[in-house]
C-alpha cells in the first residue's frame, strides 16, 4: 500500500512538473512574441523613413502607400547635398553635441561625487533645491533665458548661445549623484588613509568605477542635444549656424515640402546615433543594470 501511494505521489509530482514546464514555455513564448512584435513596431518608422528616402516625390505621397519602390533612386540624397549647407549643419551638430556631452559628463560627475560622497554644510538642502528646479516646466524659463542670451549678452547666432544654457543639466547631476552613491565608500576611505587628495581620489578611484554610469550619461546627453530643435531654432538665424535638425526645415516651403529630401536628411542624421550607441553599447547595458542585483 505504501509503495502504491508513493508511486501515485511520484506520478502526481511528475504531472505537476510537466504542467509547470508547459506553463513556463507558454509564458516565455508569449513574452517573446510580444517583445518581437514591439521591436518590429519600433523599427517600422525607421524602415519607412529609409524606404521613403529612396522613392521619388510622387511615390512618397501615393495612396495606398507603396511599401517597396518599383524604381529606387538616390535623387533625394543628391538634393540634400545640392541645397547647400548640409555639411556645415552636420559639423555644427557635431561641435555642439560633443561640447555639451563632454561638459555634462565632467561637471555632472564632479557635482555627483560631491553630493554623494563629500560632507559639507547645506549639502542636502542644495541637492533638494536642484531637484525642485527639475519640476519647473522648461517653457517658464525659456523666455527669460532667451532674453538673457540674445538681448543681454548679445550671443545670438553663435556657438555660445547654443551651448551655454545646457553646459550641465540638473537631470544629469541627479543621475551622476545616484550612480556615485552606489559606489563603495570603503575604497575612498582607504585612499584618504593613504593621504590621497580629493582630486586624485576622484581621478584614480571614482572615475574607473564610474565608467558605465558616465557612459549612459554621455549617451543620453549626446542624443538629446543631437536631436534638439527648438532652442537652436530660436537662437540661430543664419544658414551657417543651423544645426541638422533646424537645417532640415529648409526642405519645407510655403506651399509644399520636399519629403524625399527630408527623409534622406533624417536617415543621414540618424547614422551617428547608431554609431554612438554601438560604440558604447557595453557600458550602456552595464550602466542601466547597475543596482539590479546586490551581493
Amino acid at each position: 500500500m505504501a509503495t502504491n501511494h508513493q508511486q501515485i505521489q511520484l506520478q502526481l509530482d511528475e504531472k505537476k512538473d510537466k504542467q509547470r514546464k508547459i506553463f513556463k514555455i507558454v509564458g516565455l513564448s508569449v513574452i517573446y512574441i510580444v517583445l518581437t512584435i514591439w521591436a518590429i513596431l519600433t523599427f517600422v518608422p525607421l524602415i519607412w523613413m529609409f524606404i521613403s528616402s529612396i522613392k521619388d516625390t510622387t511615390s512618397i505621397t501615393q495612396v495606398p502607400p507603396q511599401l517597396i519602390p518599383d524604381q529606387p533612386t538616390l535623387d533625394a540624397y543628391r538634393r540634400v547635398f545640392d541645397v547647400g549647407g548640409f555639411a556645415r549643419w552636420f559639423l555644427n551638430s557635431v561641435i555642439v553635441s560633443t561640447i555639451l556631452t563632454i561638459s555634462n559628463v565632467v561637471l555632472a560627475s564632479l557635482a555627483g561625487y560631491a553630493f554623494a560622497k563629500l560632507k559639507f554644510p547645506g549639502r542636502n538642502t542644495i541637492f533638494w533645491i536642484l531637484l525642485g528646479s527639475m519640476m519647473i516646466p522648461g517653457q517658464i524659463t525659456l523666455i527669460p533665458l532667451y532674453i538673457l542670451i540674445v538681448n543681454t549678452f548679445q550671443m545670438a547666432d553663435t556657438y555660445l548661445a547654443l551651448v551655454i544654457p545646457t553646459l550641465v543639466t540638473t537631470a544629469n547631476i541627479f543621475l551622476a549623484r545616484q550612480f556615485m552613491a552606489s559606489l563603495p565608500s570603503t575604497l575612498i576611505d582607504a585612499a584618504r588613509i593613504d593621504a590621497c587628495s580629493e582630486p586624485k581620489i576622484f581621478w584614480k578611484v571614482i572615475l574607473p568605477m564610474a565608467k558605465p554610469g558616465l557612459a549612459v550619461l554621455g549617451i543620453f546627453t549626446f542624443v538629446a542635444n543631437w536631436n534638439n530643435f527648438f532652442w537652436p531654432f530660436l537662437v540661430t538665424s543664419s544658414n551657417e549656424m543651423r544645426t541638422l535638425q533646424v537645417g532640415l526645415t529648409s526642405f519645407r516651403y510655403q506651399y509644399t515640402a520636399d519629403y524625399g529630401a527630408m527623409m534622406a536628411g533624417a536617415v543621414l542624421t540618424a547614422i551617428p546615433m547608431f554609431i554612438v550607441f554601438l560604440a558604447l553599447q557595453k557600458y550602456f547595458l552595464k550602466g542601466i543594470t547597475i543596482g539590479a542585483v546586490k551581493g
Side-chain angles (χ1 to χ4, degrees):
M1 293 293 293
T3 304
N4 292 335
H5 179 73
Q6 291 176 352
Q7 291 178 350
I8 294 173
Q9 187 65 37
L10 288 174
Q11 291 176 357
L12 291 174
D13 292 340
E14 291 177 358
K15 187 177 180 179
K16 290 180 180 179
D17 290 338
K18 289 180 180 179
Q19 290 177 348
R20 291 194 193 97
K21 290 179 181 179
I22 292 173
F23 288 143
K24 184 177 181 180
I25 293 172
V26 171
L28 290 175
S29 300
V30 171
I31 292 173
Y32 286 137
I33 290 173
V34 171
L35 292 177
T36 302
I37 295 174
W38 184 263
I40 293 173
L41 293 175
T42 303
F43 277 98
V44 164
L46 297 176
I47 296 172
W48 181 253
M49 180 177 68
F50 173 74
I51 293 175
S52 298
S53 70
I54 58 176
K55 290 181 179 180
D56 54 51
T57 305
T58 57
S59 299
I60 294 176
T61 56
Q62 182 179 345
V63 179
Q66 188 180 23
L67 297 179
I68 300 176
D70 295 330
Q71 296 179 344
T73 177
L74 296 177
D75 288 340
Y77 291 91
R78 297 190 187 97
R79 293 197 300 274
V80 168
F81 290 99
D82 288 342
V83 74
F86 185 84
R88 180 57 187 264
W89 303 339
F90 190 91
L91 178 63
N92 290 340
S93 291
V94 170
I95 292 174
V96 172
S97 299
T98 302
I99 290 175
L100 290 177
T101 300
I102 294 174
S103 68
N104 273 272
V105 169
V106 173
L107 298 177
S109 61
L110 289 170
Y113 171 67
F115 283 122
K117 298 300 181 181
L118 300 182
K119 295 181 180 180
F120 55 89
R123 181 185 67 172
N124 293 333
T125 302
I126 297 173
F127 182 70
W128 283 109
I129 291 174
L130 287 175
L131 288 185
S133 68
M134 292 176 62
M135 301 178 186
I136 301 175
Q139 293 82 356
I140 293 178
T141 60
L142 185 62
I143 294 176
L145 183 61
Y146 177 82
I147 294 173
L148 187 67
I149 294 295
V150 175
N151 296 337
T152 305
F153 294 117
Q154 301 292 320
M155 293 181 180
D157 212 31
T158 63
Y159 286 118
L160 290 176
L162 293 171
V163 302
I164 283 181
T166 50
L167 279 173
V168 62
T169 64
T170 305
N172 284 338
I173 292 176
F174 174 74
L175 180 63
R177 187 263 182 191
Q178 295 303 105
F179 180 79
M180 296 288 185
S182 66
L183 301 179
S185 300
T186 54
L187 295 177
I188 300 174
D189 295 335
R192 287 172 180 161
I193 292 174
D194 291 337
C196 285
S197 61
E198 290 298 333
K200 192 173 182 180
I201 292 174
F202 179 79
W203 182 258
K204 296 290 186 180
V205 179
I206 297 298
L207 284 185
M209 294 189 296
K211 283 182 180 179
L214 296 182
V216 174
L217 190 151
I219 291 174
F220 288 164
T221 304
F222 188 87
V223 171
N225 288 285
W226 184 268
N227 294 325
N228 191 16
F229 169 79
F230 194 59
W231 181 253
F233 178 75
L234 283 180
V235 297
T236 59
S237 56
S238 65
N239 189 56
E240 290 75 17
M241 287 306 301
R242 288 175 175 171
T243 58
L244 271 175
Q245 308 302 332
V246 179
L248 290 179
T249 60
S250 301
F251 299 106
R252 187 174 183 88
Y253 312 110
Q254 185 175 1
Y255 299 108
T256 185
D258 190 347
Y259 294 110
M262 293 176 69
M263 292 298 177
V267 170
L268 296 174
T269 302
I271 292 176
M273 297 296 94
F274 290 104
I275 295 175
V276 170
F277 177 77
L278 292 175
L280 300 176
Q281 183 180 14
K282 178 179 68 174
Y283 293 115
F284 179 77
L285 295 176
K286 184 177 180 181
I288 61 177
T289 56
I290 286 176
V293 179
K294 293 184 178 180

